[in-house]
Amino acid sequence: MDELELFQRLGLAIAIGAAVGVERHWRARDVGEGQRTAGIRTFTLIGMLGGITGLLERYLAQGTGSSGILLATFFLALAAVVAAFEYREAVDEESYSATSVVVAMVTFSLGALAVLGDMTIASAGGVIALGILASREFLHTLMKKLQWKELQSAIILLAMTFVLLPIVPADPIGPFGGVSPRKILLLAIMLAGISYCGYIAAKLVGSSKGDVLAGAIGGIVSSTAVAISFAQRSAESGPPRSLAAGVITATAISLVRTGFLVIALAAALVPYLLPPFFAGAAVSLGYAYFLARRGEPRETSHAMNNPFELLSVAKMALLLVFVAFLARAASDYFGQRGLLIASALTGLADVDAVAVTVADMLGSLALPTAALAIGVAVLVNTFAKAVYATAFGVRAFSLHVWIASMLATAAAVATATAGLLI
């Protein structure tokens, strides 16, 4: 390691300490000089101390082969000193908080990591620590509003994601490419996550804004999952207009996402697909704005019984996997001649798979045929969401989804036709 890199690493350690120090000092900015345990200067020096200790540890390891003793000694000494000062401050102010002690330990550790380990991880750790500190009010407010059923649902979702998902087999089972158990669980997690985000967003910022925000986020992942999840919420007496606005927003985001996917993977199809996709997205966003702005016909005090129903989520995940399985079976059975059939069947659950598949086949497909295959998948997916809205949601909810789907389709078809005439 040359001297320039050592300077960069030490500079990163100091920068991490300074960033944390700014937040800590800002919170105690009204306190008089000498009345706070640690501010911007102290935390900057703590980061620097971690970096210098890391440098000393590196040199000692090269000379004697011992490692870790000096680092551990300085770490424990720092923790003891900061804890002593924090204790005196807590006694004077009659407050109880170990945050400053833990922050000092984290800052020292990240400073040492910047010198001894991966600079990217150290930088990310500093940003995450700063984000946690800066979100104090938000987290405290959230904890006041959080109920046990919501915390329980979050624990279940985390367990499904980080405990169950890694151990579930990923290899497909069955013919035509089979069905992956991990994919089923992943879809269930996605559906539950979208439902949970929608629940929390609606609770924090209100139904209309929360549902639109959750729909926009969910549309990046799967607008089909949003449609099914929100339809189930509407059946539980959720606000139909705001939920419909969320689904329509998800559809618009999905169209934009597919457009960018075409730009990245199949640039030759841009003249065929981008104008109609963006026209449909614009109309969808306009209708969603109309619904969200108009609001519900009466105030509602409705709250969902649960952020998500695990059994319902599992059923919907199995449905989507079954549809994808049918699409693969049709593709294998009919071959390239059945591309449009396979695209239509795949569109019942997903559009991205069709876009990726068609992009890989561009060398052997005529551009109009390739564009038509993706267009068919998008069209089927748009109306499939309306069908799901009708099957699982209430009439007031599904009606708006149908209207938005027809308007968006009309705008896309008109734009595509105008492009062909030109």
Side-chain angles (χ1 to χ4, degrees):
M1 185 181 299
D2 57 25
E3 291 185 359
L4 178 60
E5 184 178 349
L6 290 176
F7 275 114
Q8 290 174 340
R9 288 178 175 272
L10 183 59
L12 175 59
I14 295 172
I16 292 172
V20 172
V22 168
E23 193 279 337
R24 293 283 85 193
H25 198 116
W26 184 85
R27 291 199 176 277
R29 62 190 183 281
D30 296 328
V31 177
E33 193 68 28
Q35 294 181 334
R36 70 176 69 88
T37 298
I40 183 171
R41 292 182 302 168
T42 303
F43 276 99
T44 302
L45 290 172
I46 289 175
M48 185 176 182
L49 177 63
I52 292 175
T53 306
L55 287 175
L56 292 174
E57 193 66 60
R58 181 184 292 274
Y59 290 136
L60 287 175
Q62 291 175 353
T64 63
S66 63
S67 178
I69 298 176
L70 184 66
L71 194 64
T73 302
F74 272 82
F75 178 82
L76 294 174
L78 172 70
V81 170
V82 176
F85 276 91
E86 189 67 22
Y87 172 76
R88 291 297 304 272
E89 183 178 333
V91 170
D92 291 339
E93 297 181 358
E94 296 184 352
S95 63
Y96 302 92
S97 174
T99 302
S100 293
V101 180
V102 176
V103 172
M105 295 164 67
V106 169
T107 304
F108 177 89
S109 301
L110 290 173
L113 178 63
V115 171
L116 294 173
D118 192 312
M119 295 177 66
T120 302
I121 296 177
S123 301
V127 172
I128 293 172
L130 187 60
I132 293 173
L133 292 171
S135 59
R136 170 188 169 185
E137 286 76 15
F138 170 78
L139 292 175
H140 286 187
T141 302
L142 181 63
M143 291 306 298
K144 288 180 181 179
K145 293 184 177 181
L146 196 64
Q147 299 178 11
W148 169 245
K149 62 184 178 182
E150 298 157 0
L151 181 60
Q152 187 180 42
S153 296
I155 294 172
I156 292 174
L157 190 57
L158 290 172
M160 291 169 62
T161 305
F162 297 105
V163 178
L164 192 57
L165 186 62
I167 62 176
V168 171
D171 295 334
I173 301 172
F176 305 110
V179 174
S180 169
R182 183 173 295 179
K183 184 175 181 180
I184 297 175
L185 179 59
L186 193 59
L187 283 171
I189 292 171
M190 183 172 61
L191 286 165
I194 289 172
S195 179
Y196 191 85
C197 288
Y199 176 95
I200 296 298
K203 187 169 183 177
L204 291 178
V205 301
S207 292
S208 295
K209 293 180 181 179
D211 291 334
V212 170
L213 176 62
I217 297 172
I220 299 174
V221 182
S222 171
S223 59
T224 308
V226 172
I228 294 174
S229 176
F230 280 22
Q232 291 176 324
R233 283 182 57 191
S234 73
E236 298 172 358
S237 302
R241 284 182 183 168
S242 63
L243 289 170
V247 173
I248 297 164
T249 301
T251 297
I253 297 300
S254 175
L255 287 170
V256 173
R257 184 196 65 200
T258 305
F260 281 109
L261 196 62
V262 169
I263 293 174
L265 301 179
L269 299 179
V270 166
Y272 296 90
L273 297 176
L274 227 57
F277 282 0
F278 285 177
V283 170
S284 296
L285 286 176
Y287 195 86
Y289 176 79
F290 165 75
L291 287 179
R293 185 70 179 269
R294 188 179 178 187
E296 299 300 324
R298 58 182 175 82
E299 291 296 323
T300 176
S301 59
H302 166 76
M304 294 172 60
N305 293 328
N306 288 298
F308 59 84
E309 292 286 350
L310 202 55
L311 182 59
S312 298
V313 162
K315 289 179 179 178
M316 292 306 103
L318 289 171
L319 172 64
L320 294 179
V321 170
F322 178 68
V323 169
F325 176 80
L326 286 181
R328 288 198 304 272
S331 180
D332 287 351
Y333 184 77
F334 292 107
Q336 185 174 322
R337 292 177 301 175
L339 178 62
L340 295 182
I341 298 175
S343 297
L345 289 172
T346 304
L348 293 172
D350 182 51
V351 174
D352 291 350
V354 176
V356 173
T357 301
V358 170
D360 290 338
M361 297 172 63
L362 275 183
S364 58
L365 283 178
L367 291 182
T369 303
L372 182 61
I374 297 178
V376 165
V378 171
L379 180 65
V380 170
N381 184 257
T382 300
F383 284 100
K385 285 177 284 194
V387 172
Y388 297 146
T390 303
F392 304 114
V394 298
R395 182 179 178 183
F397 167 80
S398 62
L399 179 62
H400 287 298
V401 177
W402 274 105
I403 293 174
S405 299
M406 289 187 287
L407 290 176
T409 300
V413 171
T415 305
T417 303
L420 291 175
L421 292 176
I422 293 174

